[in-house]
Amino acid sequence: MKESEFNILEYLKSFNRKERFHLVGQLTGNTDFKLDPNIFRKLLELLKLETPSYYFSAMDYHLDWIYASLVLSFGDSKSPKIRDKKDCITGSIEDVDF
């Protein structure tokens, strides 16, 4: 795994502060929110994707959080004025359900 790939996964995890995500994970004993292996395999086949060595999943995950993770991991350090994740958060409630 490349350093930037590791970073984005760590950033994605660091933003994930939804109570519902953590509650459901604790109640189901699936705190990493991993998909059923059979469903995951079918999804990869349908999308014609290779099996990743690691993936991240969450619920009600804000688009700002995805943007901030991408900028912090892959952004050009010379151009944007983004110094940390707080510079990427707009307060929007737009999210991805899963």
Side-chain angles (χ1 to χ4, degrees):
M1 183 181 305
K2 295 178 189 174
E3 184 178 344
S4 56
E5 292 170 342
F6 174 76
N7 286 342
I8 192 168
L9 293 172
E10 292 305 310
Y11 284 125
L12 288 168
K13 282 184 192 178
S14 75
F15 283 107
N16 193 19
R17 296 290 179 248
K18 290 287 185 168
E19 292 173 14
R20 185 179 309 145
F21 169 84
H22 294 287
L23 177 63
V24 170
Q26 290 293 319
L27 291 174
T28 62
N30 185 6
T31 56
D32 287 333
F33 229 62
K34 297 300 179 194
L35 294 171
D36 175 272
N38 294 321
I39 292 173
F40 186 52
R41 184 181 43 49
K42 288 178 184 177
L43 184 62
L44 291 172
E45 287 172 7
L46 178 68
L47 297 172
K48 297 179 175 59
L49 296 172
E50 293 180 25
T51 304
S53 58
Y54 184 84
Y55 67 95
F56 171 79
S57 55
M59 65 188 315
D60 298 329
Y61 199 85
H62 288 264
L63 296 178
D64 278 359
W65 299 350
I66 296 171
Y67 171 71
S69 297
L70 288 167
V71 168
L72 291 168
S73 295
F74 300 101
D76 180 2
S77 60
K78 297 176 188 171
S79 62
K81 60 180 179 181
I82 296 170
R83 292 172 300 282
D84 64 35
K85 53 190 170 187
K86 290 181 219 150
D87 292 331
C88 300
I89 306 301
T90 65
S92 168
I93 60 170
E94 293 177 297
D95 65 12
V96 178
D97 291 327
F98 183 82

